[in-house]
Amino acid sequence: MTNTAKSNTLHFGLLFFLAIAFLVLPEYHSGNLARIMILAIYAMGYNVLFGYTGLLSLGHALFFSAGMYGLGLTMHLNGWTPAPAFVVALLTSTIVAAIVGFLVLRTTGVAFMIVTLMFAQAGYLTILYFGTYTRGDEGFALQQATRQLIGFDLTNPSVRYYTALILFSVVLLLLAYLVRSPFGRTLVAIRENEERAKMLGYNVTAIKLQAVILSGVISGASGAAYALLFGYAGATFATVQYSILPLLWVLVGGAGTTTGAFFGVLFMTYLIDYASGQTNAYLIVVGLVLVAVTLFLPHGIVGTLRNKYAGWLP
Amino acid sequence: MILSTCGLTKAYAGVAANTDIDFDLPVGQTRAIIGPNGAGKSTFVGMVCGRIPATRGNVSFDGTDITTMAAHERIRKGMAYTFQITSVFQGLSVRENINLAARRRLGKNKLAVTRKTDEILQRLNIANRSDQLASNLSYGHQRILEIGMGLAQDPRLFILDEPTQGLAESEVDDFNQLMKSMDAETTILLIEHNMNVVMAVAEYITVLDQGMVLANGTPEEIRANTAVQEAYLGTGHG
Ligand SMILES: Nc1ncnc2c1ncn2[C@@H]1O[C@H](COP(=O)(O)OP(=O)(O)O)[C@@H](O)[C@H]1O
Ligand SMILES: [Mg+2]
């Protein structure tokens, strides 16, 4: 099998497995899995910038919440239906990412991390400031009656699961295509050696901006899907915690791998789920496991598999 | 002239790295720049390709003033540059390194990119290493790979900063052959410490000393120049 064939087998195999999973898993777990797939979209968006381009952002909650509120507010306040509201979400996160990217790409390294963090904090405060509309930390629910798409009830567990799967598939296959495309290879080149990429004639600043926008819009799509499928938008999703989470997911799953984002979210979700069932001090357990993972799997789950056994892993 | 500079100057805090350099390079020439360590050779070519911003002065390439252009725009006009300190994509395969260089110019035409990459791998005798990571190559092969990335761009002006530094003798011979096999219309600007290489490949030589042009001439003229002997050849380099 060529590497392309192996990569296709992996991606379609994972999607097939997820399609079956709903039929065999108890409702509790299939509900978890729907949420995991949506958050994995967020992690994949983050991975475009962190894993492939080598830019560590601490402000992605801004893009996630731009999508979440882009959809949530247009549905909640303007009474729009999900499809056009989703388009608004994509536009909102694109514009936010373009503006933020344009400004933050003037910095590098630690300054980049701090400036992205500050922009996200400004976004969070903006949501609180417009509390009349956003209801601040408390947030607002999207009415069940409005969460209907071409005759399907998105609050129904099976519709919700398969909608999440379709969105997840689109983004996973897009990412798989991207990393093999000339554009994706250029992102990796910038990650590996920015100065060399520039001296080969690549417009590094413009390419990085495109990466921020792509990463931002995928993160925004995840935020919008989250609000739509789980019926809630709140300022918690704009806090620092939601900027750190995708970093952890991607580190655990494998930065710069297509499937690492999914396995990172899956692992962390069930780790927290299991640990919190055992003890109130579950965050300590989670912390220790994360330390162990970074010690023994420094390239994350999929990254370590790639380094040790399967160099073809995309 | 493919390249001209006028009054090109670089001042680092307190250090005059280059002072008022006027330089003309005709199309197709192989020009060596020599001079003692710290003479300002790397600074000069750095300002030519845009990697180092000039304090003042002008650079023109093929009749266009490129003084205000960003480095990547200058490269796109037909320059290629190899770093004095090897700079390849360590985590990527040899083939992917060359691909990236070829693809920037050939764009989405996959077939042309593959053909170009194969040609370069053959020409540099590294085809059998094409799937290795660049980081697993020996130092000499990494330098050769970097030269290959330059060639893959089919540059009109190829700038090489001490390409033979640290190469084994046989590799240096291969490098000389490579330089001689370049198309007649490719202009080469070569910074070189190894006088055997300079005498073997250069058609014309510019000597820099303390950030200024000390002499220009054919290899024979430079060899006979007493000022050059004092400033450079006499001081132990070469
Ligand atoms: N980034 C820098 N900051 C300060 N001084 C520098 C810098 N780069 C080079 N120099 C100084 O400029 C002079 C010329 O350096 P360089 O162009 O590297 O010389 P060469 O390549 O001929 O050995 C040297 O005195 C060097 O110390
Ligand atoms: Mg030098």
Side-chain angles (χ1 to χ4, degrees):
Chain A
M1 258 202 300
T2 65
N3 287 352
T4 312
K6 285 181 189 168
S7 148
N8 285 339
T9 310
L10 172 75
H11 296 128
F12 285 104
L14 174 64
L15 295 177
F16 177 74
F17 181 79
L18 286 169
I20 305 279
F22 180 79
L23 307 173
V24 295
L25 286 179
E27 187 163 339
Y28 173 72
H29 291 293
S30 61
N32 271 350
L33 214 44
R35 198 177 300 259
I36 287 167
M37 286 190 282
I38 295 302
L39 292 177
I41 293 174
Y42 184 20
M44 286 190 276
Y46 188 82
N47 203 10
V48 167
L49 201 62
F50 173 64
Y52 288 98
T53 320
L55 291 171
L56 199 164
S57 148
L58 289 179
H60 262 51
L62 179 64
F63 306 137
F64 185 83
S65 50
M68 173 171 266
Y69 282 94
L71 175 128
L73 289 177
T74 40
M75 283 181 67
H76 186 62
L77 298 178
N78 304 351
W80 287 27
T81 55
F86 202 87
V87 174
V88 170
L90 295 181
L91 289 176
T92 312
S93 43
T94 305
I95 292 166
V96 170
I99 294 171
V100 170
F102 179 77
L103 295 170
V104 298
L105 286 173
R106 284 145 205 274
T107 65
T108 53
V110 176
F112 182 85
M113 291 156 58
I114 293 172
V115 177
T116 48
L117 182 75
M118 282 168 53
F119 270 104
Q121 203 57 17
Y124 172 63
L125 294 174
T126 307
I127 293 168
L128 295 189
Y129 183 80
F130 290 103
T132 334
Y133 308 102
T134 65
R135 310 280 314 271
D137 278 324
E138 187 191 326
F140 56 88
L142 293 174
Q143 297 309 314
Q144 180 168 358
T146 64
R147 289 158 58 205
Q148 309 287 326
L149 189 66
I150 46 170
F152 288 104
D153 178 3
L154 295 171
T155 63
N156 172 300
S158 60
V159 174
R160 175 158 68 195
Y161 184 91
Y162 285 103
T163 308
L165 178 59
I166 288 168
L167 289 171
F168 175 77
S169 310
V170 168
V171 177
L172 179 69
L173 296 177
L174 177 84
L175 186 64
Y177 167 77
L178 177 85
V179 302
R180 281 205 308 268
S181 72
F183 178 68
R185 304 313 299 166
T186 313
L187 296 186
V188 172
I190 292 174
R191 177 190 76 194
E192 289 293 315
N193 188 341
E194 180 170 340
E195 184 74 2
R196 179 73 268 183
K198 186 170 81 186
M199 296 315 291
L200 287 180
Y202 289 105
N203 186 350
V204 168
T205 314
I207 296 166
K208 284 203 259 182
L209 180 60
Q210 290 163 18
V212 172
I213 294 173
L214 182 65
S215 176
V217 75
I218 295 174
S219 304
S222 168
Y226 197 98
L228 183 62
L229 295 182
F230 303 103
Y232 171 78
T236 334
F237 291 104
T239 57
V240 181
Q241 190 197 345
Y242 272 83
S243 289
I244 306 284
L245 276 172
L247 173 62
L248 291 180
W249 291 327
V250 167
L251 282 174
V252 168
T257 64
T258 51
T259 50
F262 172 77
F263 289 109
V265 182
L266 182 74
F267 179 83
M268 292 267 294
T269 304
Y270 275 97
L271 175 66
I272 293 171
D273 192 63
Y274 176 77
S276 59
Q278 302 296 312
T279 162
N280 281 333
Y282 69 96
L283 280 178
I284 295 178
V285 179
V286 172
L288 288 175
V289 173
L290 287 183
V291 169
V293 168
T294 39
L295 280 180
F296 297 111
L297 305 174
H299 300 280
I301 300 166
V302 182
T304 305
L305 284 176
R306 165 157 73 190
N307 290 353
K308 290 223 168 108
Y309 310 106
W312 58 269
L313 273 172
Chain B
M1 292 294 151
I2 182 100
L3 177 72
S4 301
T5 74
C6 177
L8 203 57
T9 298
K10 180 70 191 182
Y12 292 109
V15 184
N18 274 191
T19 309
D20 287 322
I21 297 194
D22 298 329
F23 182 92
D24 286 305
L25 183 55
V27 176
Q29 193 177 75
T30 299
R31 172 82 60 106
I33 300 184
I34 64 172
N37 260 326
K41 307 179 295 294
S42 294
T43 304
F44 175 68
V45 296
M47 289 193 289
V48 166
C49 67
R51 206 167 76 81
I52 299 173
T55 307
R56 67 186 141 80
N58 292 299
V59 184
S60 68
F61 182 68
D62 200 16
T64 317
D65 190 314
I66 59 166
T67 311
T68 57
M69 269 187 197
H72 72 267
E73 295 172 306
R74 298 183 192 204
I75 300 294
R76 280 166 179 261
K77 286 190 102 47
M79 290 187 193
Y81 173 82
T82 69
F83 290 77
Q84 179 170 359
I85 297 167
T86 315
S87 181
V88 296
F89 300 110
Q90 295 281 347
L92 305 181
S93 72
V94 169
R95 170 174 288 281
E96 185 64 18
N97 269 272
I98 309 265
N99 267 340
L100 278 160
R103 196 186 292 127
R104 198 273 304 152
R105 203 175 66 81
L106 299 171
K108 292 200 164 36
N109 187 341
K110 265 191 190 169
L111 191 65
V113 172
T114 308
R115 208 178 281 151
K116 187 83 219 164
T117 301
D118 287 338
E119 174 202 319
I120 302 293
L121 290 170
Q122 293 295 338
R123 194 163 163 197
L124 293 179
N125 243 325
I126 49 175
N128 56 340
R129 301 173 195 278
S130 61
D131 293 327
Q132 284 184 25
L133 288 187
S135 57
N136 292 339
L137 293 179
S138 69
Y139 176 80
H141 278 117
Q142 290 194 15
R143 290 215 71 104
I144 290 166
L145 172 59
E146 181 156 2
I147 293 167
M149 292 165 80
L151 291 177
Q153 298 171 73
D154 282 330
R156 287 195 286 159
L157 172 62
F158 194 4
I159 303 172
L160 300 112
D161 195 345
E162 303 206 16
T164 67
Q165 198 179 47
L167 290 192
E169 217 163 300
S170 66
E171 292 170 331
V172 173
D173 291 341
D174 290 345
F175 176 78
N176 287 348
Q177 289 308 315
L178 182 73
M179 287 295 108
K180 287 178 188 161
S181 73
M182 298 287 284
D183 291 343
E185 60 274 21
T186 307
T187 313
I188 294 170
L189 182 55
L190 171 70
I191 297 180
E192 189 51 68
H193 256 137
N194 185 333
M195 289 313 284
N196 295 331
V197 174
V198 173
M199 292 305 164
V201 305
E203 291 158 5
Y204 206 77
I205 299 174
T206 296
V207 186
L208 285 192
D209 187 35
Q210 300 181 30
M212 285 178 280
V213 176
L214 180 70
N216 276 308
T218 62
E220 291 70 35
E221 287 166 354
I222 296 300
R223 224 198 299 250
N225 187 317
T226 47
V228 174
Q229 283 166 7
E230 274 164 34
Y232 179 64
L233 299 171
T235 58
H237 287 289

